[in-house]
């Protein structure tokens, strides 16, 4: 089933959903879905007769966790006893494959057989999802679940440098990700915009570098908060301090707070991977200790901030001092060194760096970076730690022992180099796994179905992949509410990728299960992104008149709207029944979650149209003309300002062989429209694209961006219609895809012709 039909059908299907976490076959909806689930007869009735059995004292913490989860989900505070009884929850440690567990529920009792202590926690998260409130009873349907994760590393990342979230907010985030069985928390603690971890030896890092006056991003956010009436973009007042009459914004964790978070993570089965990003992304620290840079100053090079100076011994000492305290704070065997996006302009000019290059017999500044990383890695190894670094470590030379975190899909040599060298790898390609990237109608499905292992890598080497991770960079995310908005429900979709390796084709099945998880997100007050409103595009076409029907897939989402261009608030018209219109109308629709919190604004036009008349060119040949303008563009309007490098004939919207990443492509010709009808065009691209039909802009998906798909409608009469599609990629691994649907939502295979 194609996406458009699916989205239209969900309108009809979802009206019968109940509020517990039930799938549509009335069994609880499990996410991530276990390896094997066999529903059996009857159910266990959870009541205050139920006992939680503790026979093995070493499992005390895990048994308390079971008690806590049952309390959260049922309100029942169950006694823990040491005597095995009927009506009980029994936990047995069996050994066996890491993280594997069985969960057996029958009308008499519930048994968890777990390989390790951690897998008791995993089983308990599954048990949580099985608890159903039905007709005043609390039941757990009988089931036999055998489960184990296929990825060892199931990571979620959070950048707390760009904006600070306090320990309680971080612990809530950990609780949420643990529910979906993530087991690694990558804590990006330092960057140009703020240093967030107390280092006893260098107190200025938190006294000074954890604070800033509002920067460019902050001011943009304040404007966005006002323009979009969105309080999630406000910079929390509680993060302000005043120093000598100047307002400063920031915050940091004391070492005690770090330990508290690490302990909490451990209690949830999560390892904390701290990142101290170096030698770039360091201007936060350099603001306090300018002598650590090449020329005693912070500042920016061409693209990135000026880095540390690896030519100075005192820089190396500083980094090791910091790492020493980090090693003491974080028990996890892995620590992240960053090593991404290092601007090397200063190094080229710096006498210390140049001297280091000569002394160490290095060929260039890239090798200087590798040398620095290896110095640090040696220090890791001396301290029994393993180093993780971003995929830039494959530029220059990489040691055998580094674990590489792959984030740049366009860095096509990174994975082959790492695999050839025998390095372990964690996959976090930004194309799908950066949850700070803007969301659109297909974000979730794209994420759910993404195959994270590129087809060009040697499939015999993939056992070097430790696992997968999603990242949230927070330049434009000043509040935990906005973190949740960006992360949910993406975390649910990604949890299945993190749990199971097989290709995910069961999107519809997942979609149903996901829908049934929203009531629990509501209960937790998660500020999730409500799903898109099906069948509503930027431009919706109609002829004569139309009846507008909006059906949100989530129960309890209110739709309020205006037609005068003002942003809807909780007093605006409430959508309760179909709206009839016979003139072009501009709607602003705002979704409100069941707790009343305002969410997305949908800006949409219902446009009254006449069928555009088709033409019949006399001389033509099949296909489209495609002109390649080589260059780096920011908007499609810039493409035609650079000369044509090559012209191709293509059957449809495909990228011709031979075109490289620096591409602006202009497709022109005619589209054959089979009958008078309203057509829906869906244009996805990375980076920007714009679709014109009959000279009119139908879809504007312009600007540098990650994959975004936008749909638009137009009324077209039978015949040929001039079509133009402009697309560019900024040399970072993009695509363009155009789909055409008839008024029933069926995809049609577009036929094109070109005039000579
Ligand atoms: C990164 O996104 N710079 C790792
Ligand atoms: Zn230097």
């Amino acid at each position: 089933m194609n996406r458009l039909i699916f989205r239209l059908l969900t309108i009809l299907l979802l009206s019968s959903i109940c509020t517990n976490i039930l799938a549509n076959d009335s069994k609880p909806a499990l996410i991530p879905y276990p390896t094997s689930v066999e529903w059996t007869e009857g159910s266990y009735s959870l009541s205050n007769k139920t006992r939680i059995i503790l026979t093995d004292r070493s499992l005390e913490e895990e048994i308390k966790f079971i008690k806590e989860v049952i309390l959260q989900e049922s309100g029942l505070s169950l006694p823990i006893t040491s005597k095995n009884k009927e009506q009980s929850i029994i936990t047995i440690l069996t050994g066996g494959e890491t993280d594997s567990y069985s969960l057996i529920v029958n009308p008499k009792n519930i048994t968890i057989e777990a390989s390790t202590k951690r897998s008791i926690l995993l089983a308990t998260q599954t048990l949580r999802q099985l608890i159903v409130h039905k007709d005043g009873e609390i039941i757990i349907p009988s089931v036999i679940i055998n489960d184990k994760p296929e990825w060892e590393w199931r990571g979620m990342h959070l950048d707390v440098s760009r904006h600070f979230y306090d320990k309680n907010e971080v612990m809530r985030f950990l609780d949420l990700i643990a529910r979906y069985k993530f087991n690694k928390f990558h804590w990006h603690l330092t960057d140009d915009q703020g240093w967030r971890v107390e280092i006893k030896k260098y107190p200025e890092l938190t006294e000074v570098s954890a604070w800033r006056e509002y920067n460019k991003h902050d001011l943009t956010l304040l404007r966005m908060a006002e323009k979009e009436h969105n309080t999630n973009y406000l910079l929390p007042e509680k993060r302000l301090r005043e120093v000598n009459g100047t307002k400063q914004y920031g915050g940091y964790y004391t070492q005690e707070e770090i330990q508290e978070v690490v302990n909490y993570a451990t209690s949830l089965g999560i390892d904390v991977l701290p990142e101290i990003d170096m030698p770039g992304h360091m201007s936060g620290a350099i603001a306090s200790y300018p002598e650590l840079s090449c020329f005693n100053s912070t500042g920016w090079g061409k693209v990135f901030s000026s880095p540390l100076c690896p030519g100075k011994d005192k820089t190396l000492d500083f980094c090791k001092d910091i790492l020493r305290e980090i090693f003491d704070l974080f028990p996890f065997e892995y620590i992240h060194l960053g090593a991404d996006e290092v601007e090397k302009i200063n190094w080229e000019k710096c006498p210390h760096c140049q001297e280091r290059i000569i002394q160490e017999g290095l060929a260039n500044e890239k090798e200087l970076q590798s040398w620095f990383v290896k110095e640090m890695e040696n220090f890791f190894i001396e301290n029994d730690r393993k180093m993780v670094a971003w995929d830039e470590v494959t530029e220059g030379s990489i040691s055998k022992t580094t674990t590489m975190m792959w984030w740049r899909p366009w860095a096509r040599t990174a994975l082959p180099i790492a695999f050839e060298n025998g390095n372990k790898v964690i996959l976090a390609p930004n194309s799908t796994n950066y949850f700070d990237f803007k969301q659109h109608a297909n974000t979730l499905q794209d994420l759910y179905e993404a195959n994270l292992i590129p087809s060009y890598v040697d499939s015999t080497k993939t056992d070097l992949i430790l696992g997968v991770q999603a990242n949230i960079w927070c330049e434009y995310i000043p509040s935990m509410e906005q973190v949740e908005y960006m992360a949910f429900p993406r975390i649910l979709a990604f949890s299945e990728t993190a749990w199971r390796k097989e290709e995910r084709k069961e999107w519809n099945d997942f979609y149903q299960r996901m829908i049934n998880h929203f009531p629990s997100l509501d209960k937790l007050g998660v500020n999730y992104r409500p799903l898109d409103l099906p069948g509503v595009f930027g431009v919706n076409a109609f002829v004569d008149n139309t009846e507008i029907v909006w059906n949100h897939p989530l129960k309890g989402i209110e739709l309020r709207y205006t037609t005068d261009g003002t942003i809807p608030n909780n007093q605006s018209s409430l959508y309760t029944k179909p709206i009839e219109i016979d003139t072009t109308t501009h709607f602003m629709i705002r979704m409100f979650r069941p707790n009343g919190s305002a969410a997305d604004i949908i800006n949409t036009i219902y446009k009254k149209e006449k069928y555009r008349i088709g033409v019949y060119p006399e001389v033509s040949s099949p296909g489209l003309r495609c002109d390649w303008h080589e260059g780096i563009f920011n908007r499609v309007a810039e493409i035609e300002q650079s000369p044509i490098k090559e012209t191709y004939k293509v059957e449809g919207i495909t990228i011709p062989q031979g075109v490289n990443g620096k591409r602006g492509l202009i497709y022109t010709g005619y589209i054959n429209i089979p009958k008078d009808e309203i057509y829906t065009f869906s244009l996805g691209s990375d980076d920007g694209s714009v679709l014109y039909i009959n000279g009119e802009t139908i879809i504007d998906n312009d600007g540098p961006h990650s994959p975004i798909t936008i749909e638009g409608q137009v009324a077209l009469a039978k015949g040929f219609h001039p079509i133009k599609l402009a697309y560019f990629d900024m040399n970072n691994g993009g695509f363009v895809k155009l789909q055409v649907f008839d008024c029933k939502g069926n995809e049609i295979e577009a036929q094109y012709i070109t005039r000579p």
Side-chain angles (χ1 to χ4, degrees), residues 293-295 308-312 346-347 350-354 368:
S293 65
C294 292
F295 300 109
L308 295 172
C309 174
K312 296 178 183 170
N346 279 359
W347 295 0
C350 167
H352 304 284
C353 287
Q354 291 306 314
L368 179 58

Side-chain angles (χ1 to χ4, degrees), residues 566-744:
T566 57
I567 294 198
N569 58 31
N570 58 6
Q571 301 301 310
S572 305
S573 302
L574 177 66
Y575 173 82
T576 51
K577 62 179 189 339
I579 305 169
E580 280 173 31
I581 53 167
D582 59 7
T583 53
T584 294
T585 310
H586 179 179
F587 286 92
M588 296 264 249
I589 312 163
R590 186 151 217 181
M591 306 188 201
F592 290 83
R593 299 183 191 83
N595 68 1
S597 59
D600 298 58
I601 298 165
I602 304 162
N603 200 341
T604 176
I605 294 178
Y606 283 77
K607 200 167 164 200
K608 180 162 175 164
E609 297 198 338
K610 291 195 165 45
Y611 290 113
R612 277 130 180 110
I613 304 302
V615 294
Y616 291 88
E618 279 163 18
V619 198
S620 66
S621 59
L624 290 169
R625 173 183 166 133
C626 174
D627 293 324
W628 172 26
H629 303 254
E630 194 179 38
I632 298 282
F633 309 103
N634 272 294
R635 314 289 304 176
V636 300
E638 295 166 12
I639 299 173
E640 281 166 296
Q641 288 163 16
S642 86
I644 295 176
K645 183 173 167 84
E646 194 78 58
T647 291
Y648 304 87
K649 193 73 182 281
V650 287
E651 268 183 38
I653 306 297
T654 54
I655 298 168
Q657 281 274 324
V659 171
N660 69 30
K662 291 185 204 155
R663 56 182 174 240
L665 299 176
I666 307 281
Y667 301 85
T668 47
Y670 294 79
I671 181 166
N672 184 3
I673 291 301
K675 60 176 180 192
D676 296 8
E677 206 167 277
I678 308 259
Y679 290 88
T680 305
F681 289 82
S682 165
L683 177 60
S685 63
D686 168 1
D687 291 300
S689 58
V690 177
L691 173 70
Y692 312 85
I693 294 180
N694 295 307
E696 283 174 73
T697 303
I698 304 300
I699 298 175
D700 183 349
N701 196 0
D702 207 355
H705 57 69
S706 52
I708 293 183
T709 301
I710 299 181
E711 281 129 0
Q713 290 188 322
V714 58
L716 297 174
K718 177 175 163 67
F720 292 91
H721 293 261
I723 183 167
K724 176 173 169 183
L725 193 154
Y727 153 71
F728 67 88
D729 180 69
M730 301 184 86
N731 203 21
N732 55 10
F735 75 97
V736 60
K737 181 173 178 187
L738 181 68
Q739 289 171 285
V740 189
F741 302 89
D742 67 15
C743 68
K744 296 199 183 77

Side-chain angles (χ1 to χ4, degrees), residues 376-612:
M376 291 304 125
E377 191 179 11
N378 288 339
F379 187 63
F380 275 57
I381 293 167
E382 278 167 33
N383 286 276
D384 269 342
R385 297 307 177 96
K386 295 179 180 163
M387 189 183 77
V388 184
W390 297 108
D391 63 44
E392 283 91 336
V393 281
T394 53
E395 298 166 1
S397 70
I398 177 171
S399 74
K400 295 267 179 218
T401 38
T402 301
T403 296
M404 182 188 85
M405 197 169 264
W406 182 61
W407 72 278
R408 296 176 303 168
W410 66 95
R412 286 175 71 109
T413 54
L415 285 173
I417 290 173
F419 287 146
E420 205 44 53
N421 197 44
N423 296 97
K424 287 193 184 154
V425 165
I426 297 154
L427 303 175
N430 73 353
S431 43
T432 47
N433 293 22
Y434 272 28
F435 289 179
D436 47 305
F437 280 13
K438 200 173 156 167
Q439 302 172 82
H440 57 89
N442 297 326
T443 314
L444 273 178
Q445 190 171 352
D446 290 347
L447 169 68
Y448 188 76
E449 291 176 344
N451 183 0
L452 300 187
I453 306 175
S455 55
Y456 60 79
V457 303
D458 180 349
S459 58
T460 63
K461 296 285 174 61
T462 49
D463 54 357
L464 288 165
I465 301 171
L466 276 183
V468 300
Q469 184 171 297
N471 298 337
I472 310 184
W473 298 99
C474 295
E475 283 90 337
Y476 292 104
I477 306 185
S479 63
M480 207 34 156
E481 286 79 6
Q482 189 61 11
V483 169
E484 290 180 2
Y485 174 84
M486 299 309 282
F488 287 89
R490 282 197 259 204
I491 277 180
L492 279 65
F494 187 58
S495 75
E496 301 227 331
T497 307
W499 196 254
R500 305 269 291 275
K501 290 184 183 175
E502 94 277 9
E503 270 191 62
R504 257 149 290 281
K505 298 211 176 69
E506 292 304 320
W507 163 252
N508 296 351
D509 173 71
F510 168 73
Y511 187 89
Q512 292 301 328
R513 285 184 285 119
M514 173 182 68
I515 292 277
N516 293 316
H517 271 241
F518 279 90
S520 73
L521 297 180
D522 281 323
K523 196 171 130 201
L524 291 162
V526 175
N527 197 57
Y528 56 80
R529 178 178 188 259
L531 301 174
D532 290 273
L533 190 52
V536 178
F537 311 116
V539 175
N540 307 273
F542 67 94
V543 285
D544 302 329
N545 52 46
T546 191
E547 188 174 75
I548 299 173
V549 180
W550 295 326
N551 256 317
H552 197 276
L554 299 180
K555 219 175 166 192
I557 295 282
E558 266 186 2
L559 303 171
R560 292 186 178 269
Y561 65 94
T562 59
T563 53
D564 60 1
T566 57
I567 294 198
N569 58 31
N570 58 6
Q571 301 301 310
S572 305
S573 302
L574 177 66
Y575 173 82
T576 51
K577 62 179 189 339
I579 305 169
E580 280 173 31
I581 53 167
D582 59 7
T583 53
T584 294
T585 310
H586 179 179
F587 286 92
M588 296 264 249
I589 312 163
R590 186 151 217 181
M591 306 188 201
F592 290 83
R593 299 183 191 83
N595 68 1
S597 59
D600 298 58
I601 298 165
I602 304 162
N603 200 341
T604 176
I605 294 178
Y606 283 77
K607 200 167 164 200
K608 180 162 175 164
E609 297 198 338
K610 291 195 165 45
Y611 290 113
R612 277 130 180 110

